[in-house]
Structure formats: C-alpha cells, structure tokens
Amino acid sequence: MSEIATYLEQNAAKFEEDLKRLLRIPSVSTSEEHKPDMLACAQEVVRQLHEAGIPKAEIMPTPGHPIVYAESEQLPNRPTLLIYGHYDVQPEDPLDEWETPPFEPSIRDGKIYARGASDDKGQFIIHLKAAQTLNALGQLPVNLKFCIEGEEECGSPSLDPWIREHAELLKADVLVISDTTMYGPGQPSLLYGLRGLAYLEVEVKGGDSDMHSGMFGGAVPNPINELCRIIAALKDENYHITVPGFYDKVRPLTEEEREEWRKLNFDDEEYRKLVGAPALCGEKGFTSIERRWARPTLDVNGIWGGFTGEGAKTVIPSKAYAKISCRLVPDQDDREIAKLVEEEIKRLASPAVEVKVSFHHGGAPWMTSPDAPVLQAANIAAQKAWKATPVKVREGGSIPIVSTFTQVLQVPAVLLGIGLEDEQIHAPNEHLSLENFHAGIAASAYLMQEIAALPEFKK
Ligand code: BES
Ligand code: ZN
C-alpha cells in the first residue's frame, strides 16, 4: 500500500469525526437567527485548516457571512491551487421528514446523514484532509490557497465583489472545487459545464383588500387566477419557453456532444423511479440528459396568496406571488434573461392587475473544454481513487461563483464532485457516501500530485 493510502486508512475515523464536527453546526445562511452559527462554523473550518498544517488561516469579515481564507507556505516554482467551497447549508425544513435530526450526524449503511453532508461540508473538507495527509508525510507538492464562503446558498453576494477586490491575493494556477456530483456510484466524472441562474419574484395585485367572493366575484380581478394564466402562457405544450428572445443566445448542442452523451447509457426509467413521478417530461426534441445539462429552464419554485388554511373561505385575494427561476446555459446572460422574462410577464398581464417583477439573484453558466490539461490531471487522480475511468459530463446545477473566479483570475477550473444524485441535497435526509468521502480525500491528494507533475507547471 502507498504511504498515502496507509495514512488515510489510519486516519479514516478521525477524518469522519472532523466531518461530524462541521455537520453539527447549523450554518443556515439564509436565516438571521443562525448568524452566530455561521461564525462558529467558520471558526471550526479555521481550526481544521490549522490542524491540516496550514497555519495562515483566518476569518475575513464581509457585509454578510464571513469568508475563511487560508494559505500554505507559498513556495516558488510550484503551481498554486485555489480551493473553493462553502460552509453554509440550506434550511432543514421540512423537519418532520428527517429520519434523524439534520444537525446530529448519523451513520447508516455506509452513509453519513446530516444537512450539508453532501452540499458542501462533506465535499470541501476532503481537500483539507488531503492537505493534512500530504503535509504529515512531508509531500505537499503544490501551494494551496483556500477560500471557503458562507453565502453560496444565497447567491454569494459578498464573495463576488471580494474576489474582484482580492484578485492579487487569490492569484492561482488552478481552481479546484468539490460541490457537484459523480456520474453514478463507482463512476467518477470530469465536469466541464454548469448551468447559470436567474431568479425572479412576481407580485400581482388586484383590489386594495381581500373581498367577499360572492359579493365581488366575477366583476373584479382575481390576482391568483391572473398569475396562473401568465405562468401557464410562459411555456407551450412542447415545454418550449415562449418568452421572445429566450433561446437567442443558447449555444446549440454539437452532434459530437450528443453522441458522447448517448454513450452514457442513461436509463430514463431508473431516473423516473428515483424521482418518483408517474412519468418524465420536458422540452420536445431533447433527451433527459440534454434537457438537464444543455437546455435552459423556467420553473416556478413557489406560488402563494389568498386563503390556504383549513376549511374554506370565500375570498378574492388582493395579491398573489410567485418565485420563478430560470436555469441558463452558455451563452445566456442572467440579467438579460431576467429582463426578457419580466417584459413578457408584464405584456401578458391583464390591465386589471398591477404586476411587479423583481430580480433576486443570478449567475453565469460555466463551461470549459473537456480536453483542458488540468482535466487530464483530474482524470488520472479520479481513476486512481475510484479504480474507474471518469466520464465527461456537464451538470444542471449552478455554482455562479465559478465563472467569477475563472474570469477574474483567468484560471482553469477542476470540479471534482463526490456527491451522488440521490443524496437528497436541499431536501430531507441529505447524506454522503462515506466510501466516496474517503476516495475523495485520496483523489484530492492525487490531484495535487498530478497537477504538480503537469508539464506547464514545471517551472
Ligand atoms: N452544490 C450545489 C450546486 C450543484 C449541485 C451543482 C449538484 C451541480 C450538481 C450548490 O450548492 C447549489 O445548490 N447552488 C444553487 C445556486 C445558488 C445561486 C443558490 C443552485 O444550483 O440552486
Ligand atoms: Zn453546494
């Protein structure tokens, strides 16, 4: 067994313990009440960085939640890896659907259950443990910089400007992120594309106050009915989005890419079972993989208004609301798409209601060449860790900060995801495979070695 493998085996239990320490902190970034937990979590990340042999680790305050920034000793003639992750998590609700409490990590069937297990605490921590391993063996072959933020789940409002202000500090040769998934159990992947996002909120107002639906109904606008009519008109029967200009900048899929993806043998029926719906559906003319990886979407995330309590209340509401998100693909622009959707919603609205559309947050899609040299290094590292050849994939989720990093710092990115699709991120019973957690630490250590060995970094 190699020295690395031996060290990992000897420290496996300790590494799991450290992951649990992070998972016990309810670092939910979207709620004010968890502010102290955010700081506590940032402090725990700093503690673990120190333990990994990275003494220069500190908490950088921001107008929002703090950023943890750390550096190993920066030696000349070595490539520098900038590792990004996020210590914030999604809210835990609905609480009663968790089999064990979300912030009391519990191990069952080789999986660790807790909010943040897969997204992203159990993923970013693998790089700290890889650094710890290589440092302990005296074999760290690269310079490391860590940037672990606490606001990814709310669109990274503080990190985005922070990167631009600290471009010199963050200077690196490769960006490394683990916040995505593998193609399947035992099947690592090389990720070369992520979708972007445009998130909107719509308010529709009819009368000044709620009204009796018998006295007024039929002669006054009902904002919920109006909102539903508008939303329904945003897509046609082929699930094609009808907003004018929406697809103008969508980069068409190449025949080559479609062919590569066909070879992945994606099983729609298995996917349907995972989802639990009676059937799959989506834009006509595209496969499930294409719909998720290379086509934009428009989805209602929530809709509310009027009476939703027990029993019945005969009322015409004054207002109705919806949250709408669009997943974007290269070369769509989030602000441009938000504007187009806003204009179409307003155009569709009846003159009997007032419509307000606001832009929450957004982010650019990201795409690189699947043949980039750093992906070759990742290819070897993943192959060594999982004993399987990685497949080239894109994914449907978004990490908008990837584009900011790559554009501002002009660095290539390696996205080494160790999550699995059924790990319930953003949902009850989130978990992470411990096998992938340990393989991930090994993969990260190998990646550091492989990047150090790339010809372009042999200075
Ligand atoms: N880790 C996810 C993104 C992800 C998951 C990418 C799985 C690919 C596969 C990340 O934490 C996340 O949820 N991002 C948000 C974006 C954000 C702007 C709120 C998302 O995709 O909804
Ligand atoms: Zn994440």
Side-chain angles (χ1 to χ4, degrees):
M1 211 158 50
S2 75
E3 271 183 286
I4 291 181
T6 310
Y7 187 91
L8 292 180
E9 200 176 285
Q10 283 166 352
N11 289 275
K14 154 127 191 52
F15 290 169
E16 286 182 18
E17 216 31 67
D18 281 339
L19 171 56
K20 284 189 192 162
R21 288 176 75 138
L22 278 179
L23 293 174
R24 283 191 197 106
I25 307 170
S27 48
V28 181
S29 53
T30 47
S31 91
E32 239 343 88
E33 84 185 86
H34 286 294
K35 226 174 159 177
D37 299 313
M38 297 304 294
L39 182 60
C41 197
Q43 283 163 341
E44 175 58 20
V45 175
V46 168
R47 192 196 65 77
Q48 294 199 25
L49 280 159
H50 288 159
E51 207 178 359
I54 298 162
K56 204 177 148 205
E58 50 193 302
I59 289 178
M60 308 284 219
T62 75
H65 301 302
I67 293 167
V68 175
Y69 180 74
E71 274 184 6
S72 66
E73 191 187 350
Q74 305 289 297
L75 300 172
N77 308 320
R78 287 173 157 202
T80 302
L81 271 59
L82 171 62
I83 293 164
Y84 162 83
H86 63 95
Y87 67 85
D88 65 323
V89 300
Q90 284 274 323
E92 68 277 27
D93 61 290
L95 189 58
D96 55 358
E97 286 181 31
W98 284 78
E99 279 171 32
T100 49
F103 298 107
E104 292 172 30
S106 149
I107 296 179
R108 301 191 291 280
D109 303 330
K111 299 165 189 163
I112 185 159
Y113 285 80
R115 170 58 85 231
S118 182
D119 185 12
D120 176 42
K121 291 172 177 175
Q123 295 215 41
F124 80 74
I125 192 183
I126 64 171
H127 304 293
L128 277 68
K129 300 307 166 196
Q132 185 164 345
T133 302
L134 292 171
N135 267 330
L137 299 172
Q139 294 176 12
L140 186 68
V142 290
N143 298 326
L144 295 175
K145 293 181 176 179
F146 288 87
C147 174
I148 314 292
E149 73 155 319
E151 298 185 322
E152 195 273 348
E153 300 293 4
C154 32
S156 307
S158 305
L159 182 60
D160 195 272
W162 196 86
I163 293 172
R164 297 172 204 278
E165 282 157 29
H166 295 83
E168 198 49 42
L169 177 74
L170 295 169
K171 212 161 161 267
D173 298 293
V174 189
L175 173 68
V176 177
I177 301 178
S178 292
D179 191 22
T180 51
T181 66
M182 308 187 8
Y183 185 65
Q187 179 57 72
S189 44
L190 295 179
L191 182 65
Y192 65 94
L194 284 169
R195 289 195 287 190
L197 186 71
Y199 205 111
L200 304 163
E201 186 161 332
V202 185
E203 181 192 295
V204 179
K205 181 185 165 290
D208 284 337
S209 129
D210 289 2
M211 293 172 261
H212 187 284
S213 70
M215 285 171 72
F216 295 90
V220 297
N222 181 322
I224 300 185
N225 290 39
E226 285 300 323
L227 178 58
C228 292
R229 193 181 51 74
I230 293 169
I231 289 171
L234 295 175
K235 281 191 195 180
D236 68 14
E237 69 282 9
N238 293 322
Y239 295 91
H240 198 78
I241 296 155
T242 54
V243 176
F246 192 89
Y247 293 96
D248 283 3
K249 294 199 175 162
V250 171
R251 209 185 289 177
L253 266 157
T254 61
E255 228 2 89
E256 208 184 336
E257 209 170 22
R258 295 187 104 165
E259 185 49 38
E260 280 295 316
W261 294 354
R262 266 193 285 272
K263 286 192 224 143
L264 293 172
N265 286 322
F266 186 81
D267 186 334
D268 264 358
E269 177 52 18
E270 231 170 78
Y271 187 62
R272 187 199 66 76
K273 282 194 201 138
L274 169 82
V275 172
L280 298 174
C281 63
E283 193 186 357
K284 197 175 168 188
F286 296 92
T287 67
S288 293
I289 285 199
E290 291 165 355
R291 287 170 182 168
R292 289 190 301 149
W293 295 356
R295 300 296 297 170
T297 66
L298 186 154
D299 275 301
V300 181
N301 300 104
I303 182 161
W304 70 103
F307 178 69
T308 55
E310 206 184 321
K313 180 181 175 196
T314 47
V315 67
I316 307 267
S318 155
K319 285 180 176 169
Y321 303 85
K323 301 214 188 237
I324 298 179
S325 67
C326 299
R327 293 284 165 176
L328 312 178
V329 299
D331 298 301
Q332 288 178 299
D333 177 85
D334 55 334
R335 300 235 164 220
E336 249 172 62
I337 291 295
K339 184 125 203 20
L340 293 176
V341 175
E342 172 176 356
E343 279 167 9
E344 181 63 358
I345 288 175
K346 291 195 166 152
R347 194 189 66 79
L348 288 164
S350 129
V353 292
E354 252 171 57
V355 176
K356 284 189 198 146
V357 181
S358 53
F359 181 66
H360 259 274
H361 56 74
W366 167 76
M367 190 147 124
T368 184
S369 156
D371 304 314
V374 288
L375 288 193
Q376 301 308 317
N379 189 31
I380 302 173
Q383 173 118 24
K384 269 178 143 173
W386 280 277
K387 313 267 184 299
T389 307
V391 287
K392 293 172 190 167
V393 303
R394 281 159 74 174
E395 281 206 80
S398 310
I399 312 177
I401 210 70
V402 178
S403 291
T404 312
F405 271 121
T406 55
Q407 281 164 21
V408 174
L409 306 176
Q410 289 291 310
V411 277
V414 172
L415 277 79
L416 180 74
I418 63 157
L420 290 172
E421 204 153 55
D422 64 356
E423 286 180 335
Q424 302 272 109
I425 69 169
H426 298 203
N429 303 309
E430 177 177 352
H431 58 276
L432 177 72
S433 147
L434 284 172
E435 191 185 322
N436 287 337
F437 172 65
H438 294 295
I441 301 172
S444 168
Y446 299 143
L447 179 65
M448 292 174 193
Q449 294 181 326
E450 292 305 325
I451 288 178
L454 282 176
E456 60 251 65
F457 297 134
K458 289 248 169 272
K459 291 173 191 161

